[in-house]
Amino acid sequence: MRTSQTEKDIFGLFMWYVVALIISVSGGLAIFAARQHAQAVHNMLLERSETVAAALDSNDVQQLQGKTSDGKSAVYAKLKTKLADIKATNSNVRGLYLTGERNGRLFFYVDSEKPTSDYYSPPGEWYDDATSEFKGIFTTGRPVVEGPVKDDFGTFISGLAPILDESGKKVVAVVGIDLDASKYYQETAVATLPPILSGLSLLLLITFFEWSRRKSKQLLTLRSELVSVASHELRTPITGIRWAAESLQHTVTDPRALPMIRAIYNSAVSLQTSTDDILELTHAMKQQQAIIAPADLTALMQELVDPQILAAKQKGVDIIIDESWPKQLVIACDVNKLKRALNNVISNAIKYTRDNTTVTIKYTGDEHNHHILIADEGIGIPIAEQAKVFEGFYRASNAVASKIPGTGLGLYLVKIVVEQQGGRVSFISDENKGTVFTISLPRRTTK
């Protein structure tokens, strides 16, 4: 199906809207997942640091002096063993430590690391990389989580909790638990992967759909152009064959030759009709802009029906313009495009209806649209094939089986020219009972 430029613009804007929506939603979900993970880590560090602080005896801590000599004391060894044991049971913890405060500077009491470790801090070593938030715990007595923070030991996220004296009023030390920031970033990335991958999958699916849609259109357009070129080249020789066969029918008297000449003539007429359909389709595709002007639809319908009466009578078919038609009905439309559409639907109705039946043409209208209904009593369209009726070069299986000639372009052309002027075409069909096609055109102000 070929769409107008306006429809292309609307579809393009819609696709961009869908893409933007997917990016926004998946991005929002990824941010939400990252924040949820950050909150989970925050809560975990806060809980663990407070648990460790509660597990350490403040009296033991107060026995330390924050000097190198602490390393030889039994209390230091006891606290260091506790911190090392806690670290061993928490595989994601990089290190634990106790810090004190002296004259506004922080120093290390004890940590969980072996003296050979790069992260080891001997007792009494100053910690001048401490943040103001870290230092503030000695004043506020409130636990905090900070980070990622970079210092001489690396980049960490830290849970910090105060150890209070027996009165519960004075902070004697702050226990710290460090998580390696690189692991935190990795875990955050893993947490955000599901929404990001879902968004990317949807974008890939939409991209594939759009690529397939455009490819199909390109192939159909290319096929139409190739057929159009061939049709142009065939038109002249076909016309010559038709004229020659028509002349022979009037001059040849041999009864044995006449059936062959008639067959040649009928084949030429059929081929010329197909060629004209293809050229008309090519013209309609190039002339996409509708030229809207007032036209008397009642008079136009009679003008279209009159030339069809002879073909209908040959099958014993009556063409009835229903009493629902007003005597005069002026509408705003593209007259030439509407003629093409109505002529194709009426001729199809005559072609596919059974002999000695009726083709009925009705009119209805509502607040927004004019509706033209063309009903036949023919072979109908199989339900399984109805979705393909308006595809280019497609013919229903029962139409092919009936040996009735056709290109499969008639209804494709109808849909194009109707939609080019803002209308739509639809149908209801029962196989072996008949079909009703409805062409709907929008009501416009006529001047």
Side-chain angles (χ1 to χ4, degrees):
M1 182 183 74
R2 193 176 181 91
T3 55
S4 65
Q5 186 59 44
T6 301
E7 288 173 319
K8 287 181 178 178
D9 292 342
I10 293 173
F11 186 80
L13 288 173
F14 174 74
M15 291 298 291
W16 277 113
Y17 171 77
V18 171
V19 169
L21 182 63
I22 290 172
I23 292 173
S24 299
V25 171
S26 59
L29 289 174
I31 292 171
F32 176 76
R35 287 179 175 175
Q36 286 292 98
H37 178 256
Q39 187 62 47
V41 171
H42 178 280
N43 294 340
M44 179 270 291
L45 278 173
L46 203 61
E47 181 182 352
R48 289 188 184 180
S49 60
E50 288 182 307
T51 300
V52 173
L56 298 177
D57 189 340
S58 62
N59 291 323
D60 288 341
V61 177
Q62 287 178 300
Q63 292 182 44
L64 299 177
Q65 300 178 20
K67 298 179 180 179
T68 307
S69 58
D70 285 342
K72 298 178 181 179
S73 72
V75 172
Y76 176 87
K78 176 184 174 183
L79 291 172
K80 191 173 186 69
T81 300
K82 277 193 175 182
L83 294 179
D85 290 343
I86 294 171
K87 178 185 175 182
T89 58
N90 292 270
S91 58
N92 60 339
V93 171
R94 182 65 196 84
L96 292 91
Y97 46 88
L98 290 179
T99 58
E101 188 262 344
R102 185 184 297 129
N103 299 324
R105 294 178 72 185
L106 301 193
F107 61 88
F108 289 99
Y109 276 123
V110 59
D111 65 16
S112 60
E113 304 305 300
K114 295 178 180 180
T116 55
S117 170
D118 292 337
Y119 297 97
Y120 170 68
S121 298
E125 182 178 70
W126 295 108
Y127 182 37
D128 291 325
D129 289 333
T131 64
S132 58
E133 191 174 20
F134 192 160
K135 294 176 181 178
I137 300 173
F138 286 91
T139 302
T140 64
R142 295 175 182 173
V144 299
V145 174
E146 64 173 11
V149 173
K150 186 175 182 180
D151 58 23
D152 291 339
F153 297 98
T155 304
F156 302 99
I157 299 173
S158 304
L160 305 167
I163 297 176
L164 304 177
D165 63 7
E166 289 185 347
S167 68
K169 295 179 180 180
K170 182 181 178 182
V171 177
V172 297
V174 171
V175 62
I177 300 179
D178 286 348
L179 295 184
D180 194 330
S182 62
K183 290 185 178 180
Y184 167 77
Y185 292 138
Q186 290 172 6
E187 291 172 356
T188 301
V190 171
T192 59
L193 273 179
I196 291 174
L197 290 177
S198 297
L200 286 174
S201 298
L202 285 173
L203 287 175
L204 287 173
L205 187 63
I206 289 174
T207 302
F208 177 74
F209 165 76
E210 179 65 5
W211 176 83
S212 300
R213 188 184 68 86
R214 291 189 179 188
K215 200 70 176 176
S216 297
K217 280 194 167 189
Q218 289 172 359
L219 290 173
L220 185 58
T221 301
L222 179 60
R223 181 167 62 174
S224 298
E225 290 174 353
L226 289 173
V227 173
S228 173
V229 171
S231 299
H232 274 291
E233 297 299 321
L234 287 171
R235 199 171 196 181
T236 300
I238 290 171
T239 302
I241 293 170
R242 177 179 175 178
W243 286 350
E246 189 172 5
S247 298
L248 288 172
Q249 285 186 91
H250 294 96
T251 56
V252 173
T253 57
D254 187 344
R256 293 173 299 176
L258 282 174
M260 296 177 62
I261 294 170
R262 290 194 190 98
I264 293 171
Y265 174 78
N266 291 334
S267 296
V269 169
S270 176
L271 192 55
Q272 188 170 34
T273 301
S274 298
T275 303
D276 289 342
D277 281 348
I278 294 168
L279 294 175
E280 192 173 9
L281 174 63
T282 304
H283 176 75
M285 286 175 137
K286 290 180 179 177
Q287 300 291 327
Q288 292 193 43
Q289 187 64 43
I291 302 171
I292 305 299
D296 185 348
L297 187 58
T298 302
L300 176 63
M301 184 57 67
Q302 193 62 57
E303 178 187 335
L304 291 170
V305 167
D306 287 344
Q308 304 273 11
I309 291 175
L310 180 59
K313 281 186 176 181
Q314 291 176 351
K315 295 183 63 176
V317 173
D318 291 328
I319 304 176
I320 298 175
I321 297 180
D322 190 73
E323 294 179 356
S324 57
W325 278 89
K327 291 183 179 179
Q328 186 180 43
L329 178 61
V330 178
I331 69 169
C333 64
D334 187 315
V335 178
N336 291 327
K337 291 182 183 294
L338 185 57
K339 278 183 178 180
R340 289 193 192 104
L342 290 171
N343 190 63
N344 275 5
V345 177
I346 293 170
S347 62
N348 268 3
I350 296 169
K351 186 191 299 184
Y352 292 107
T353 197
R354 292 186 177 84
D355 294 351
N356 304 311
T357 57
T358 301
V359 171
T360 305
I361 305 172
K362 297 181 180 181
Y363 169 83
T364 63
D366 55 39
E367 184 181 354
H368 303 290
N369 296 286
H370 301 283
H371 304 289
I372 305 163
L373 292 79
I374 300 166
D376 65 51
E377 300 173 35
I379 62 176
I381 303 166
I383 292 177
E385 301 177 43
Q386 290 184 6
K388 299 180 180 179
V389 162
F390 294 112
E391 293 181 5
F393 299 96
Y394 181 81
R395 297 188 72 207
S397 58
N398 56 348
V400 175
S402 69
K403 306 295 184 183
I404 298 173
T407 59
L409 292 174
L411 292 176
Y412 179 53
L413 174 64
V414 170
K415 189 171 181 67
I416 288 174
V417 297
V418 169
E419 290 184 347
Q420 282 175 351
Q421 50 192 313
R424 61 185 178 87
V425 57
S426 58
F427 68 92
I428 299 172
S429 184
D430 288 328
E431 192 172 2
N432 298 319
K433 291 183 179 180
T435 304
V436 180
F437 276 91
T438 301
I439 293 176
S440 301
L441 296 173
R443 286 186 181 271
R444 298 184 176 95
T445 304
T446 57
K447 297 181 181 180

